Amino acid sequence: NPTEPSFMPKGEAKAVFDIPPEYLINRYKDVGVQLFDRFGEEAAERIPVKQIALPDLKRILKLKRRDNFSLFIPAHRDISKQLIDIFMGMRDVDDLQSMAVYARDRVNPYLFNYALSVALLHRPDTQGLNLPSFMQSFPDKFIDTQVLNQAREEANIVPTGSRTPIEIPMDFTASNLEEEHRLAYFREDVGLNLHHWHWHLVYPFNGPREIVNKNRRGELFYYMHQQIIARYNLERLCNALKRTTRFTDWRDPIPEAYFPKLDSLVASRSYPPRVANQVLRDLNREQDQVKADVTRLEQWRDRIFNAIHTGVVQDESGNDIPLTEFEGIDILGNIIESSILSPNRPFYGDIHNFGHVFLSYIHDPDHRHLESDPIFYRWHAFIDDVFQQFKGTLPRYPVEQLSYDGVTVDSVTVQSQGTPNVFNTYWQQSDVDLSRGMDFQPRGSVFVRFTHLQHQPFTYNIMVNNSGAPRQGTCRIFMAPSTDERGNPWLLQDQRTMFIELDRFVVNLQSGQNTIMRRSDQSSVTIPFERTFRNLEANRPQQEGEALEQFNFCGCGWPHHLLIAKGTPEGKECDLFVMISNYDDDRVDQDTNVPCNDASSYCGIKDRLYPDRRSMGYPFDRLPRDGVSTLQQFLTPNMRVQNVTIKFNNRILRRPKQ
Ligand code: CUO
């Protein structure tokens, strides 16, 4: 499509590329000039495309335009690495643009989008570019087919300006009769899926080493996904469902059925359903060079468990690498995911990625892995359990390490509207523009209106006594359900994996009494709605300079509207945990004053070290010390637990216009 500048839009103004005739693919060669004239009329700007010596794309083009693209397929990985290398290797931005223009009409669109995004994120000379959101480019990955059809119809019939948003019905993949369906609002949340997509863009497991090798990326793979599961489980408990069960019996039928309602606009076909009681099958797909059987997956698993229990892994030359107290989890993350940083991929394999492949091949020859599918969570619950087994082998934190002498947390209050220590949740409707990812004629914005969870803004009010000289601390805020699915009190060894991180920030403590106030929207976990759906909100003016946002990185961050779980109409009881740890043991000396540094808990900070020296998930990442069986017994004076409730109000409010 010669009209869409693929990565340099300036506001709403249309621009066209002046494409060298050699760049047009054959089917456009004859009509190229007319096309250009037709779209050129509307264009405010013509962008010259420099002609460069073009690399051979033959191997990359083995993945056809209409094929689906999955990084979990080794052959696709190799292809994506080649394309990333090509984009990374371009001498300057002009050459890169030229290459991108050339590739765009030839290369598989998902692959193109992925490789170019990775390159733009990592090239030093493209740090200021703005990109359209992935959701805008590929709405079919996120939105129900029926809604897309309606949107297309609206665009065809109704002129721009008079179009009304198409409402996405809530819970579109099944009826409420099916239990698992109660969680659809979470699994199908577009913001959650965008966060996950961006996370994997920022932390690819494959590609040039300098891109993959980011500070503690293996550990963050473990922690970010651990938190997704913890959050999913809390939502499940709010909906009277028990925690998700690990998918461990790989030879047994899978009871969960799944009926995706998404169609691929690229592949022009729908994703097939998985009926109940399907079984994993050995894979042998020549076309994708995938050959693996379940036995192999089991072999990898056994080797990894063996490494965990002996505390050492072997590299490819047979040398022992110890899984140490702090760095072991990072090595293990790279082994299990696996990434190219795994010290021995031939031996420990590629268990997590292949699990996704096996599961998606059951019903989906296009091997997508859907975050909206319950089995996705069951698989990651298994993966998390492997990590937890390792954490179980580590020394427990002793009291001396957990406490902060002279620092006492006297009280914690959450203030929202109404009763203190009550979080209030409800449904909210928001509009996003889909037009970039769909071929509308005439063009212009088409909005869809979707319904998502939301909470009222709140503030933490924390009273801290410091009996010593002024000093700094890290305030860590977590929350977990107060009881298990049967309503019984927890053993901390079980409750600890249920804690979801809400915030982490540095505090300056004066001598004596301190009052710490912190607003919910400052959370180090989340990004604001506007950032999740960048460029998508209704007619938001594009400000100069804002184009300098760093697209990919900035899109990583838990969606703020899902910070708090849904709760229940009666009020779901939770334990709010606050800890002030000694900043001397936490600090990482570096300048973190860079764009998009505000969602570091799950995403880190671009080009920086992870900004907290403690193990991720601290202090709940390990088993409690001997003699401690409950959360209360775990507490040292610098920690405090406040009982809170999450109250859900079943009404739908429109997002206020800003
Ligand atoms: Cu993010 Cu499996 O790694 O979904």
Side-chain angles (χ1 to χ4, degrees), residues 72 196 199-200 221 224-225 337 352-353 356 369 376 379-380:
F72 296 133
H196 186 224
W199 192 95
H200 281 284
F221 169 79
M224 197 282 290
H225 289 89
E337 185 179 6
H352 152 267
N353 290 335
H356 281 308
H369 72 295
F376 171 91
W379 178 244
H380 266 281

Side-chain angles (χ1 to χ4, degrees), residues 549-570:
E549 275 179 335
Q550 303 173 25
F551 164 74
N552 279 315
F553 202 90
C554 296
C556 187
W558 192 254
H560 189 75
H561 60 266
L562 291 184
L563 175 63
I564 301 297
K566 184 177 164 205
T568 59
E570 317 75 61

